[in-house]
Amino acid sequence: MERKNCYFISFILLIVVWLAGCDSYAEPSELPSVPSAAEQDHTLEEDVTVIRTLKIGLSMDTLVEERWEKDRDMFKEAVEALGAEVEVKAANGNDALQIAQAETLISQGVDLLVLVPHNAEAAATIVGKAQMAGIPVISYDRLVKNANIDLYISFDNEKVGELQAEAITALVPEGKYVYIGGASTDNNAHLLKEGVYNVLQPFIERGDITVVYDQWTEAWMPANAKQNMQAALIANDNDIDAVIAANDATAGGVIEALAEQGLAGKVPVAGQDAELAGLQHIVNGEQAMTVYKSIKSLTEQAAEIAVRMASGEVIETDTTINNGKKDVPTVFLTPVAVDKTNIEETIIADGFHRAEDIYHGLPNK
Ligand code: BGC
């Protein structure tokens, strides 16, 4: 071949190669069978989806009461045992902070959000934002009102109130009662109160029981519960026969106020949560009962549902509860009444607290 022809053929070949490499000129059928950049990206994305670890966001109101650290740690452990990850944020009882923290979790791309709302109504903002990002939301322990949540898991809080009132009316079937409620911003506080009054109502109607004082406790704080109890004692010249407090922390505040008047141990007090201090109050006779809610069961069930839902599964439940916006699929766990007669077979048997911690330095054992 002549040298000139050879240059010409090389030039044509170069052009063909260049055209073949240029998408806008070549027909797809003419392209080599190497995947296009878009196809490569797609393949990569699919690979990533297959191997990526699911991430659950846990947005908590607070870690103040003893139970919430258990909730956090046991939930994390249960989710990790299922091969997923948890990112936790706690808002110190601050609505604006909880919203900002939830936004961070959403922008970090969590696959599902588990929400313990500080404020039942304000937290609807968080649910709206998660929904916009296509992230399902589970309302944990406390219900988010008027929001499009995907599932609610909790103990039957009305039942908790009923257990408290049943135990206290068995001890004090007649007399003057004080009700120290939880935070009015927490839907659970309303359910607890409903449960208490379900039981008290017939006693009230018969004239056997009079509720002489009934107040919410701002932010569930024991110091506020103590102030309320002091006010109840003053208004009734210390003539109080029984107290139902919405949890063990507020019961602690009540017991302090009673102690100031030399009445601790003389007036039965009910609480809930089976906190260590609550159980110690029971053992030393200053508190009549508490309500045990197995955080292990709650976290394990919540973790399983969260991971299944995060991977796209639709979870069906037997129960629904209306939160003002929709009938929310609901999982209810059963609370258990605990007094000094059954601490052993409930709290200790379950490993919720150790006997040596409950009875530590106390005379009853
Ligand atoms: C929970 C209680 C807890 C209280 C204060 C309620 O919503 O159900 O277990 O003691 O909040 O944190």
Side-chain angles (χ1 to χ4, degrees):
M1 200 188 289
E2 260 186 51
R3 197 184 182 89
K4 211 172 155 190
N5 276 348
C6 192
Y7 282 141
F8 180 71
I9 290 168
S10 306
F11 175 71
I12 294 291
L13 271 173
L14 250 174
I15 299 235
V16 168
V17 167
W18 179 77
L19 281 179
C22 180
D23 279 359
S24 49
Y25 292 106
E27 289 293 319
S29 59
E30 293 167 11
L31 291 172
S33 62
V34 178
S36 70
E39 280 170 331
Q40 280 183 23
D41 280 350
H42 183 63
T43 313
L44 264 177
E45 256 175 34
E46 277 177 355
D47 287 345
V48 170
T49 313
V50 170
I51 57 165
R52 198 171 59 80
T53 306
L54 288 172
K55 204 169 185 181
I56 312 289
L58 174 61
S59 164
M60 305 183 75
D61 160 27
T62 176
L63 291 170
V64 167
E65 287 83 9
E66 185 181 278
R67 64 161 290 180
W68 297 116
E69 288 195 4
K70 284 191 202 259
D71 287 86
R72 178 197 58 195
D73 296 346
M74 290 175 154
F75 180 73
K76 200 161 184 292
E77 198 181 307
V79 168
E80 284 170 1
L82 296 168
E85 280 175 5
V86 183
E87 179 72 33
V88 185
K89 304 238 179 262
N92 306 323
N94 180 326
D95 284 330
L97 182 59
Q98 187 165 34
I99 293 171
Q101 289 177 335
E103 277 172 342
T104 305
L105 291 170
I106 292 167
S107 65
Q108 282 171 350
V110 292
D111 298 286
L112 179 140
L113 189 64
V114 173
L115 180 56
V116 188
H118 166 249
N119 182 310
E121 301 280 350
T125 306
I126 295 174
V127 180
K129 286 177 195 265
Q131 210 185 12
M132 295 269 282
I135 297 169
V137 180
I138 295 179
S139 198
Y140 177 97
D141 192 80
R142 299 175 177 173
L143 185 65
V144 182
K145 302 281 293 280
N146 298 311
N148 238 323
I149 46 176
D150 296 277
L151 189 130
Y152 172 46
I153 180 163
S154 185
F155 286 86
D156 182 341
N157 286 284
E158 209 174 311
K159 181 82 189 157
V160 172
E162 288 173 358
L163 291 175
Q164 292 181 310
E166 278 162 8
I168 297 297
T169 50
L171 293 170
V172 185
E174 289 176 15
K176 291 186 175 177
Y177 271 55
V178 168
Y179 184 67
I180 302 291
S184 63
T185 48
D186 178 351
N187 187 58
N188 285 347
H190 296 268
L191 298 173
L192 295 167
K193 185 170 173 173
E194 248 173 75
V196 165
Y197 277 91
N198 287 346
V199 175
L200 293 190
Q201 204 52 44
F203 290 85
I204 295 170
E205 279 163 18
R206 283 200 299 271
D208 292 344
I209 286 173
T210 315
V211 180
V212 293
Y213 187 90
D214 177 338
Q215 262 308 327
W216 301 114
T217 301
E218 205 197 325
W220 288 98
M221 274 172 61
N224 297 335
K226 181 177 177 180
Q227 271 182 18
N228 283 340
M229 191 61 214
Q230 286 168 331
L233 286 163
I234 290 170
N236 292 280
D237 291 327
N238 283 359
D239 184 13
I240 304 288
D241 299 300
V243 185
I244 299 177
N247 68 357
D248 288 346
T250 50
V254 166
I255 291 166
E256 279 182 30
L258 289 171
E260 286 175 352
Q261 303 303 316
L263 291 173
K266 297 192 176 125
V267 179
V269 178
Q272 72 145 327
D273 281 343
E275 282 197 357
L276 186 56
L279 294 163
Q280 289 172 340
H281 283 142
I282 290 178
V283 170
N284 73 19
E286 290 173 336
Q287 187 171 325
M289 65 88 68
T290 185
V291 179
Y292 169 51
K293 302 185 296 189
S294 165
I295 304 301
K296 189 164 188 287
S297 307
L298 179 62
T299 51
E300 281 177 356
Q301 291 200 41
E304 196 197 319
I305 292 170
V307 171
R308 282 168 55 191
M309 206 180 245
S311 45
E313 216 179 297
V314 175
I315 307 292
E316 286 180 4
T317 61
D318 298 336
T319 314
T320 58
I321 196 165
N322 193 287
N323 72 343
K325 175 105 177 174
K326 65 185 269 199
D327 289 330
V328 183
T330 296
V331 176
F332 270 149
L333 285 77
T334 310
V336 179
V338 171
D339 60 17
K340 61 167 67 164
T341 65
N342 65 343
I343 292 180
E344 202 81 41
E345 70 224 46
T346 53
I347 310 297
I348 296 169
D350 252 22
F352 196 67
H353 290 291
R354 300 179 313 168
E356 55 266 46
D357 297 327
I358 297 171
Y359 297 100
H360 182 74
L362 293 167
N364 298 44
K365 202 178 182 185

